Amino acid sequence: MEPQSLSIWQLCMEGGWIMVVLALLALVSIYIFVERFMVLRAASHLDDSFMQRIRDYIHDGEIESAQNLCRSNSTPFARLIAKGISRIGRPMNDVLVAIENTGNLEVAALSRGFSWLATTAAGAPMLGFLGTVIGMVDAFYSIANSGNAAQIGTFAGGIYTALVTTVAGLIVGIAALFAYNYLVSRVNKIMKLMEARTMEFMDLLNEPAK
């Protein structure tokens, strides 16, 4: 008699209710990763001519045109520069503080949802281990009730639960961890670009008018 093969779906069913929780964690994490990936990709877009046009407008005294250019570019860099332009005429330290505060808000907005990924990365393996404990308790309970008549089929269901939930928890947790670290690296890259834009703008304010 040939041994029956189990499909992925059947294996998941053997994992019990914890597999439902892990599946929900995985779905939400996938959504957050895809949504944040698209947001960060759009936020990292750089227009090479943007700062040159800002420089020309400011040197020509066309502050309103510079502000309009910033509004037409929906990126964190443009919003930083817009805040700096709105503070032109004040002490340089005030301008820098205003830009830095805006930068902090932009980073917080870009990092939205990261806490969920971090929680999933830590919590999913723990849920898997909880399933392992539940499965082993169920297996030993079946053995105890069967007494001397216990056979491997008696406690196989508990072992299925133990092994499947462990594997599923580790897969979800590892995937969430890699997704979290990747998105954090993208945000750090954008932060460095924002710092570079800030320094470029501050240098621009110190340039003599043509």
Side-chain angles (χ1 to χ4, degrees):
M1 182 177 178
E2 294 183 0
Q4 294 182 348
S5 60
L6 280 177
S7 66
I8 298 297
W9 175 254
Q10 289 173 317
L11 283 174
C12 291
M13 290 299 97
E14 293 291 347
W17 63 269
I18 288 182
M19 294 298 292
V20 176
V21 180
L22 290 173
L24 291 175
L25 289 176
L27 289 175
V28 176
S29 297
I30 290 171
Y31 171 79
I32 291 174
F33 174 76
V34 173
E35 189 268 341
R36 286 293 94 187
F37 175 81
M38 296 175 65
V39 168
L40 294 176
R41 185 174 63 177
S44 60
H45 176 70
L46 288 175
D47 183 357
D48 295 334
S49 65
F50 176 76
M51 287 306 298
Q52 183 58 50
R53 295 171 67 187
I54 291 292
R55 177 179 286 103
D56 293 339
Y57 283 138
I58 291 178
H59 285 171
D60 294 340
E62 300 179 13
I63 304 301
E64 186 63 28
S65 296
Q67 286 279 27
N68 290 335
L69 177 60
C70 291
R71 295 189 191 101
S72 66
N73 286 266
S74 182
T75 63
F77 314 112
R79 287 188 284 270
L80 286 185
I81 302 304
K83 178 61 68 173
I85 293 173
S86 69
R87 296 295 189 271
I88 288 180
R90 297 188 182 184
M92 295 294 288
N93 187 61
D94 291 351
V95 177
L96 182 59
V97 169
I99 293 176
E100 288 177 346
N101 290 338
T102 301
N104 292 334
L105 293 176
E106 291 292 335
V107 170
L110 293 174
S111 303
R112 187 177 59 192
F114 283 17
S115 59
W116 175 274
L117 291 176
T119 300
T120 300
M126 299 304 295
L127 283 171
F129 294 144
L130 174 61
T132 300
V133 174
I134 293 175
M136 295 308 296
V137 169
D138 182 60
F140 282 111
Y141 179 78
S142 299
I143 294 173
N145 283 342
S146 300
N148 294 331
Q151 297 180 0
I152 190 167
T154 305
F155 52 91
I159 295 177
Y160 270 132
T161 300
L163 297 180
V164 171
T165 55
T166 300
V167 172
L170 289 173
I171 290 175
V172 174
I174 291 171
L177 179 61
F178 277 102
Y180 172 79
N181 287 333
Y182 174 77
L183 293 178
V184 167
S185 68
R186 291 293 297 267
V187 170
N188 289 337
K189 181 180 178 180
I190 293 174
M191 287 176 60
K192 292 179 181 179
L193 293 174
M194 290 167 62
E195 291 174 359
R197 281 287 190 260
T198 299
M199 293 301 100
E200 189 175 354
F201 178 75
M202 298 304 295
D203 291 340
L204 184 160
L205 297 182
N206 288 319
E207 291 179 357
K210 296 181 180 179

